[in-house]
Amino acid sequence: MWAFLHKLASPKHFYRITGRWIPWLWVITLLFMVPGLYLGLWVAPPDYQQGDSFRIMYVHVPAAWMSLFIYVFMAVTGGIGLIWNMKMADIMAASSAPIGASFTFLALVTGAIWGKPMWGTWWVWDARLTSELILLFLYLGYIALQAAIEEPRTAARAAAILAIVGSVNIPIIHYSVEWWNTLHQGPTVTRMDKPAIHPSMLWPLLLMAAAFQVYFFTVLLMRARTELLWRERRARWVREMFGNSTRTPFSNTEKVVT
Amino acid sequence: MTPRQRRMAWVTLIVIGVSVATFLALAAFQKNLLYFYTPSQIAAGEAPTGYSFRVGGLVENGSVHRDPDSLAVRFTLTDGAARVTVFYDGILPDLFREGQGIIAIGQLQPDGLFKANQVLAKHDENYMPPEVADALKKTGRMPSVDEFKWSTP
């Protein structure tokens, strides 16, 4: 197990091993998403209060969960890169940020679309909505900081500190609906007594959550592989893989000094 | 300490420091972060007069009176302990009904009437098919909306 993980930490082996995983990860994503969408949009009964409008939950809730999960993932991998100087951890953290920002944006937009017919407003400045918006700004700040610093190690260190500091927002988002009076309702699935949702409506939600999770790792690995190639573009293994030593990948964009 | 341990200590220190700072800031702003006041808080005189704020509660059964010639509506909000009468002239959200959780934005008049310029519906975290809801209502096991009942510190 450790030997395998150790192998994954080496750029060359990471590139080779994960390349074989990606088609399978796409298959698994679809295996969760197709039944999840079918059960959620066709089979699940309409809600007693919200009718069919509640079905937007099957995108909104998993997207919001992912926005929190990816931020924690980013802070943890960033911290690992910071403490152990691990190149792969840096790449993982940097590659996950745009995916997390997309999920946050999706959660905010679907939330607004849901809020208009049900609450009567697109947006309110309550604690849940505001803290989720701050999460989007944290992601964007992280991406901007990465892009502003040329040297990859310095960029990774600065961004990791931002990610770690920003992670205090995560429990605030999660508990905002319990600590303060908010327009957003309280948690449904993680309630202690019993989930406040009928099983026929819960199953599609869990399937969609699994689909989004696998989708994240699929896209993450694809992004990480590209990022890896770019950072290692001068390394021997990259040049050997792309045929000969004179023609390198990215030779159109940058002159390689040999 | 090795450099690695020093870095680890720094990261731990940052996490602890930021958490404490955030906790203190949030504790200080507790009052400003409340999205709405409850009727009990209004009855206790905690709500501001003279400027707009939000009040949240359940629409009391049988309290909704509509003006036949306009959109104007008058209803009572309750949190189980106190009640406040709300006047509103505008379009109500789809979820507005008796027994529903509502947030009204407006000003408290000197005579105790709350004049709203916006009414938002607050739905709870329960999702179920209509048949299940009917069955629960019959047996009286319908989960009650208790979020308007807890008083804030």
Side-chain angles (χ1 to χ4, degrees), chain A residues 57-70 99-100 102-108 110 132 135 205 208-209 212:
Chain A
M57 164 166 90
Y58 295 121
V59 176
H60 174 75
V61 175
W65 283 346
M66 288 314 292
S67 73
L68 301 185
F69 173 82
I70 295 174
I99 314 172
S102 315
F103 275 122
T104 314
F105 183 74
L106 188 63
L108 287 168
T110 51
E132 183 75 11
L135 183 69
L205 183 63
M208 287 304 286
F212 275 38

Coordinates of all heavy atoms in Angstrom, one line a residue, chain A residues 57-70 99-100 102-108 110 132 135 205 208-209 212:
Chain A
M57 N -32.9 20.4 -6.1 CA -32.0 19.9 -5.0 C -31.0 18.9 -5.4 O -29.9 18.9 -4.9 CB -33.0 19.3 -3.9 CG -32.3 18.4 -2.9 SD -33.4 18.1 -1.6 CE -34.2 16.6 -2.2
Y58 N -31.4 18.1 -6.5 CA -30.4 17.0 -6.9 C -29.2 17.5 -7.6 O -28.3 16.8 -7.8 CB -31.2 16.0 -7.8 CG -32.3 15.3 -7.0 CD1 -33.6 15.3 -7.4 CD2 -31.9 14.6 -5.8 CE1 -34.6 14.7 -6.6 CE2 -32.9 14.0 -5.0 CZ -34.2 14.0 -5.4 OH -35.2 13.4 -4.7
V59 N -29.2 18.8 -7.9 CA -28.0 19.4 -8.4 C -27.4 20.4 -7.3 O -26.2 20.4 -7.0 CB -28.2 20.2 -9.7 CG1 -27.0 20.9 -10.1 CG2 -28.7 19.3 -10.8
H60 N -28.3 21.1 -6.7 CA -27.9 22.1 -5.8 C -27.2 21.6 -4.5 O -26.1 22.0 -4.2 CB -29.2 22.9 -5.3 CG -28.9 23.9 -4.2 ND1 -28.3 25.1 -4.4 CD2 -29.2 23.9 -2.9 CE1 -28.2 25.8 -3.3 NE2 -28.7 25.0 -2.3
V61 N -27.7 20.6 -3.9 CA -27.2 20.0 -2.7 C -25.8 19.3 -2.9 O -24.8 19.7 -2.2 CB -28.2 19.1 -2.0 CG1 -27.6 18.5 -0.7 CG2 -29.4 19.9 -1.6
P62 N -25.7 18.4 -3.9 CA -24.4 17.8 -4.1 C -23.3 18.9 -4.5 O -22.2 18.8 -4.1 CB -24.6 16.8 -5.3 CG -26.1 16.5 -5.3 CD -26.7 17.8 -4.8
A63 N -23.7 19.9 -5.3 CA -22.8 20.9 -5.7 C -22.3 21.7 -4.5 O -21.1 22.0 -4.3 CB -23.4 21.9 -6.7
A64 N -23.2 22.0 -3.5 CA -22.8 22.7 -2.3 C -21.9 21.8 -1.5 O -20.9 22.3 -0.9 CB -24.1 23.1 -1.6
W65 N -22.2 20.5 -1.4 CA -21.4 19.6 -0.6 C -20.0 19.6 -1.2 O -19.0 19.7 -0.5 CB -21.9 18.2 -0.6 CG -23.1 18.0 0.4 CD1 -23.5 18.9 1.4 CD2 -24.0 16.9 0.4 NE1 -24.6 18.4 2.0 CE2 -24.9 17.2 1.4 CE3 -24.2 15.8 -0.4 CZ2 -26.0 16.3 1.7 CZ3 -25.2 14.9 -0.1 CH2 -26.1 15.2 1.0
M66 N -19.9 19.5 -2.5 CA -18.6 19.4 -3.2 C -17.8 20.7 -3.0 O -16.6 20.7 -2.9 CB -18.8 19.2 -4.7 CG -19.2 17.8 -5.0 SD -18.3 16.5 -4.2 CE -16.7 16.7 -4.9
S67 N -18.5 21.9 -3.0 CA -17.8 23.1 -2.8 C -17.1 23.1 -1.5 O -16.0 23.7 -1.4 CB -18.8 24.3 -2.9 OG -19.6 24.4 -1.8
L68 N -17.7 22.5 -0.4 CA -17.0 22.4 0.9 C -15.9 21.4 0.8 O -14.8 21.6 1.3 CB -18.0 22.1 2.0 CG -19.2 23.0 2.2 CD1 -20.0 22.6 3.4 CD2 -18.7 24.5 2.3
F69 N -16.2 20.2 0.3 CA -15.3 19.1 0.3 C -14.0 19.5 -0.4 O -12.9 19.3 0.0 CB -15.9 17.9 -0.4 CG -14.9 16.7 -0.5 CD1 -14.6 15.9 0.5 CD2 -14.3 16.6 -1.8 CE1 -13.7 14.9 0.4 CE2 -13.3 15.6 -1.9 CZ -13.0 14.7 -0.9
I70 N -14.2 20.1 -1.6 CA -13.0 20.4 -2.4 C -12.1 21.5 -1.7 O -10.9 21.4 -1.8 CB -13.4 20.9 -3.8 CG1 -14.1 19.8 -4.6 CG2 -12.2 21.4 -4.6 CD1 -14.7 20.1 -5.9
I99 N -12.1 23.6 -10.1 CA -13.2 22.7 -10.0 C -14.1 23.1 -8.8 O -15.3 23.2 -8.9 CB -12.8 21.2 -9.9 CG1 -11.7 20.9 -10.9 CG2 -14.0 20.3 -10.0 CD1 -11.1 19.5 -10.7
G100 N -13.4 23.4 -7.7 CA -14.2 23.8 -6.5 C -14.9 25.1 -6.8 O -16.1 25.3 -6.4
S102 N -16.1 26.2 -9.6 CA -17.2 25.9 -10.5 C -18.4 25.3 -9.7 O -19.5 25.7 -9.9 CB -16.8 24.9 -11.5 OG -15.6 25.2 -12.1
F103 N -18.1 24.4 -8.7 CA -19.2 23.8 -7.9 C -19.8 24.9 -7.0 O -21.0 24.9 -6.8 CB -18.6 22.7 -7.1 CG -18.6 21.3 -7.8 CD1 -17.4 20.7 -7.9 CD2 -19.7 20.8 -8.4 CE1 -17.4 19.4 -8.6 CE2 -19.7 19.6 -9.0 CZ -18.5 18.9 -9.2
T104 N -19.0 25.8 -6.5 CA -19.5 26.8 -5.6 C -20.4 27.7 -6.5 O -21.6 28.1 -6.0 CB -18.4 27.7 -5.1 OG1 -17.4 26.8 -4.6 CG2 -18.9 28.6 -3.9
F105 N -20.0 28.1 -7.7 CA -20.8 28.9 -8.5 C -22.1 28.2 -8.9 O -23.2 28.8 -8.8 CB -20.0 29.2 -9.8 CG -20.7 30.1 -10.8 CD1 -20.9 31.5 -10.5 CD2 -21.3 29.6 -12.0 CE1 -21.5 32.3 -11.4 CE2 -21.9 30.4 -12.8 CZ -22.1 31.8 -12.6
L106 N -22.0 26.9 -9.2 CA -23.2 26.1 -9.5 C -24.2 26.1 -8.3 O -25.4 26.3 -8.5 CB -22.8 24.7 -9.9 CG -23.9 23.8 -10.4 CD1 -24.4 24.3 -11.7 CD2 -23.3 22.4 -10.6
A107 N -23.6 25.9 -7.1 CA -24.5 25.9 -5.9 C -25.2 27.2 -5.7 O -26.4 27.3 -5.4 CB -23.7 25.5 -4.7
L108 N -24.5 28.3 -5.9 CA -25.1 29.7 -5.8 C -26.2 29.9 -6.8 O -27.2 30.4 -6.5 CB -24.0 30.7 -5.9 CG -23.1 30.8 -4.6 CD1 -21.9 31.7 -5.0 CD2 -23.8 31.4 -3.4
T110 N -27.9 27.6 -8.7 CA -29.1 26.8 -8.6 C -29.9 27.2 -7.3 O -31.1 27.1 -7.3 CB -28.7 25.3 -8.4 OG1 -27.7 25.2 -7.5 CG2 -28.2 24.8 -9.8
E132 N -21.3 31.3 1.8 CA -21.1 30.5 0.6 C -20.5 31.4 -0.5 O -19.6 31.0 -1.2 CB -22.3 29.8 0.1 CG -22.2 28.9 -1.1 CD -21.5 27.6 -0.9 OE1 -21.3 27.2 0.3 OE2 -21.1 26.9 -1.9
L135 N -17.0 31.9 0.2 CA -16.2 30.7 -0.3 C -15.8 30.9 -1.7 O -14.7 30.6 -2.1 CB -17.0 29.5 -0.1 CG -16.3 28.1 -0.5 CD1 -15.2 27.8 0.5 CD2 -17.3 27.0 -0.5
L205 N -30.6 11.6 -4.2 CA -29.7 12.6 -3.7 C -28.3 12.0 -3.4 O -27.3 12.5 -3.8 CB -30.3 13.3 -2.5 CG -29.5 14.4 -1.9 CD1 -29.4 15.5 -2.8 CD2 -30.1 14.9 -0.6
M208 N -26.5 11.1 -6.6 CA -26.0 12.3 -7.3 C -24.7 12.8 -6.5 O -23.8 13.2 -7.2 CB -27.0 13.4 -7.3 CG -28.1 13.2 -8.3 SD -27.5 12.9 -10.0 CE -27.0 14.5 -10.5
A209 N -24.8 12.7 -5.2 CA -23.6 13.1 -4.4 C -22.4 12.2 -4.8 O -21.3 12.7 -5.0 CB -23.9 13.0 -2.9
F212 N -21.1 13.2 -8.3 CA -20.3 14.4 -8.2 C -19.0 14.2 -7.7 O -18.0 14.8 -8.1 CB -21.1 15.5 -7.4 CG -22.1 16.3 -8.2 CD1 -22.9 15.7 -9.2 CD2 -22.3 17.7 -8.0 CE1 -23.8 16.4 -9.9 CE2 -23.2 18.4 -8.7 CZ -24.0 17.7 -9.7

